[in-house]
């Protein structure tokens, strides 16, 4: 199924294919409906919502993240809340119908372990929303994989290096689920990343490896943040430009690095931080923030007693966007990266003398 969203407020159109996940949008349209080539800064409603359906990690006692060298940015080892209620999820999905494309199920733990996981997937599809999620794979079963095949656009397995990681990938592939690997890129993993990319050492049949930049949030440490001038950063982006038997992608936090180091990637294919512009996060307690990494809730709005649209247009969200509107005014590439992450400037791979954070 393909459908289009016409954004009357910001004068652009977007199209989304629910089968392939392909997403495109026009530039701002002039009074004659012609594309001006100017990328719209934001949408009038988020096109993707990261829904934290998990309030606690059912595998937290096993310390999977810590053993894999990954600091849970939602502090899953120390923080525990009730999982999101089905009624709350249904309320979110109903507001998103016809206005949003995807719901990325997440939170503090594996979404496939939610006690009403199948119902969440059904509610998504009933509202013409494509559900996706990331899992450690520890609790993946053929039955869960079958649900993923029926309802999900894609499933990502976090690269935790355990036997269960490979087992989950194979279980999903056997069920013919579009399967990605999510790989956290930090000081403690960059050498392994370079080695695996050089040897194309990932399971056959996967759709893509997506690299997520380590952030100092939750249990993620500042010591594991990659320095922007570390020569291994340049080597990493050089690997991204090589051909591989699988797709290679990155989160928007890596975009300033791609702008700096990559020569063959089309600038039009890059989308910088979408937080508060095209995406947001809603936690299991129904608190909405522009980005899930705002763990201090500096820009938070409770949805109790309001709507997603009103929260989207709230003063805290506008304050968040202002960082990107004011960033790097003298840089010729500012529209490609908008200064990078508004929450954690230390993770941005940019050394331009024009860099100026608003």
């Amino acid at each position: 199924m393909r459908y289009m969203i016409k954004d009357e407020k910001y004068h652009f159109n977007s199209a989304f294919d629910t089968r392939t996940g392909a997403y495109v949008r026009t530039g701002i349209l002039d009074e004659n409906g012609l594309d001006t080539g100017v990328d719209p800064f934001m949408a009038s409603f988020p096109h993707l919502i990261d829904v934290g359906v998990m309030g606690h990690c059912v595998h937290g006692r096993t310390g999977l993240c810590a053993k894999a060298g990954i600091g849970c940015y939602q502090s899953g080892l120390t923080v525990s809340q009730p999982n999101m209620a089905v009624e709350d999820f249904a309320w979110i999905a109903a507001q998103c119908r016809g206005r949003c494309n995807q719901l990325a199920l997440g939170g503090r733990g594996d979404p496939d372990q939610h006690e009403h996981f199948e119902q969440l997937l059904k509610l998504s599809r009933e509202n013409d929303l494509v559900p996706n999620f990331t899992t450690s794979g520890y609790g993946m079963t053929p039955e869960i994989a079958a649900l993923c095949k029926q309802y999900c656009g894609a499933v990502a397995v976090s690269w935790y290096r355990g036997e269960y990681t490979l087992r989950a990938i194979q279980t999903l592939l056997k069920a013919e689920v579009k399967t990605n690997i999510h790989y956290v890129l930090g000081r403690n993993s960059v050498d392994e990343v370079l080695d695996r990319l050089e040897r194309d050492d990932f399971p056959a049949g996967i759709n893509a490896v997506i690299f997520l930049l380590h952030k100092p949030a939750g249990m993620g440490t500042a010591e594991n943040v990659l320095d922007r001038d570390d020569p291994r950063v340049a080597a990493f982006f050089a690997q991204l430009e090589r051909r591989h038997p699988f797709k290679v992608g990155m989160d928007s936090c890596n975009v300033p690095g791609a702008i700096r180091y990559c020569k063959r990637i089309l600038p039009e294919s890059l989308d910088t931080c979408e937080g508060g512009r095209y995406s947001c996060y809603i936690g299991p307690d129904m608190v909405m923030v522009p980005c899930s990494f705002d763990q201090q809730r500096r820009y938070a709005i409770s949805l109790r007693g309001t709507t997603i649209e009103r929260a989207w247009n709230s003063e805290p969200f506008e304050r968040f966007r202002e960082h990107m509107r004011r960033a790097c005014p003298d840089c010729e590439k500012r529209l490609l990266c908008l200064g990078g992450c508004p929450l954690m400037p230390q993770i941005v791979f940019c050394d331009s003398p024009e860099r100026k954070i608003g």
Side-chain angles (χ1 to χ4, degrees):
M1 172 182 170
R2 297 176 179 86
Y3 62 85
M4 180 175 288
I5 298 174
K6 294 186 69 174
D7 197 309
E8 302 289 352
K9 183 175 182 179
Y10 294 110
H11 310 293
F12 72 96
N13 298 330
S14 65
F16 181 72
D17 189 319
T18 61
R19 183 180 60 85
T20 66
Y23 167 81
V24 295
R25 62 175 177 254
T26 67
I28 297 172
L29 304 176
D30 65 19
E31 62 274 10
N32 299 311
L34 299 177
D35 194 328
T36 63
V38 178
D39 200 35
F41 176 75
M42 64 177 289
S44 58
F45 194 89
H47 288 185
L48 181 149
I49 298 182
D50 189 355
V51 186
V53 299
M54 300 299 291
H56 58 275
C57 182
V58 298
H59 305 308
R61 290 185 299 275
T62 67
L64 293 184
C65 293
K67 291 177 182 176
I70 296 169
C72 175
Y73 75 93
Q74 298 230 24
S75 303
L77 285 176
T78 58
V79 179
S80 181
Q81 295 177 328
N83 292 337
M84 180 176 285
V86 171
E87 294 77 15
D88 285 338
F89 187 87
W91 181 84
I92 291 169
Q95 289 182 69
C96 291
R97 185 182 181 97
R99 308 187 71 185
C100 181
N101 299 322
Q102 301 182 67
L103 298 182
L105 310 188
R108 199 172 290 111
D110 291 339
D112 52 34
Q113 301 303 299
H114 191 283
E115 58 271 27
H116 301 294
F117 179 62
E118 182 175 3
Q119 195 170 351
L120 303 183
L121 299 183
K122 285 182 177 179
L123 281 166
S124 299
R125 285 294 184 174
E126 286 170 3
N127 286 280
D128 295 331
L129 300 160
V130 178
N132 302 296
F133 69 95
T134 304
T135 177
S136 72
Y138 193 82
M140 180 59 63
T141 65
E143 291 75 23
I144 293 174
L147 291 175
C148 298
K149 171 62 177 175
Q150 183 177 358
Y151 294 108
C152 294
V155 175
V157 179
S158 296
W159 190 253
Y160 281 8
R161 304 168 181 82
E163 183 275 333
Y164 59 87
T165 306
L166 298 176
R167 184 177 65 244
I169 292 170
Q170 293 307 318
T171 300
L172 289 164
L173 290 175
K174 187 175 181 179
E176 299 182 336
V177 176
K178 182 182 285 188
T179 305
N180 297 327
I181 290 173
H182 277 183
Y183 205 128
V184 178
L185 178 68
R187 282 188 181 180
N188 65 344
S189 66
V190 64
D191 289 329
E192 180 188 14
V193 165
L194 294 174
D195 177 63
R196 287 190 179 276
L197 284 174
E198 179 65 35
R199 296 185 292 113
D200 291 330
D201 185 22
F202 289 99
I206 61 167
N207 175 62
V209 181
I210 312 296
F211 291 97
L212 314 176
L213 193 59
H214 168 84
K215 292 92 172 173
M219 300 177 73
T221 65
E223 290 74 23
N224 198 30
V225 174
L226 268 170
D227 187 85
R228 66 189 182 192
D229 295 318
D230 189 319
R232 296 174 297 180
V233 172
F236 165 72
F237 284 103
Q239 282 292 335
L240 295 195
E241 294 199 290
R242 285 186 56 239
R243 287 189 177 275
H244 301 277
F246 42 81
K247 297 176 185 176
V248 177
M250 56 187 156
D251 62 1
S252 59
C253 310
N254 271 302
V255 165
I259 295 169
R260 179 183 180 186
Y261 291 108
C262 294
K263 309 301 180 187
R264 299 186 218 168
I265 294 179
L266 288 172
E268 294 82 2
S269 69
L270 299 174
D271 219 350
T272 191
C273 177
E274 294 190 336
R277 301 192 309 121
Y278 292 94
S279 67
C280 65
Y281 175 79
I282 300 174
D285 56 358
M286 300 299 285
V287 172
M288 179 167 143
V289 288
C291 171
S292 62
F293 285 95
D294 182 13
Q295 290 295 296
Q296 296 176 328
R297 296 189 168 187
R298 286 176 281 175
Y299 305 97
I301 293 288
S302 173
L303 293 177
R304 303 298 186 194
T306 190
T307 65
I308 294 172
E309 184 171 11
R310 285 200 290 267
W312 184 252
N313 292 307
S314 66
E315 186 273 336
F317 270 63
E318 276 300 299
R319 275 193 289 115
F320 181 85
R321 297 177 188 119
E322 275 303 300
H323 290 284
M324 290 180 274
R325 288 193 175 104
R326 297 200 309 262
C328 311
D330 300 322
C331 180
E332 63 180 12
K333 296 180 180 179
R334 74 164 304 275
L335 293 180
L336 287 175
C337 85
L338 300 176
C341 179
L343 294 171
M344 292 165 278
Q346 66 269 41
I347 71 170
V348 179
F349 292 139
C350 178
D351 65 348
S352 170
E354 285 82 27
R355 179 164 171 71
K356 182 179 180 182
I357 305 303

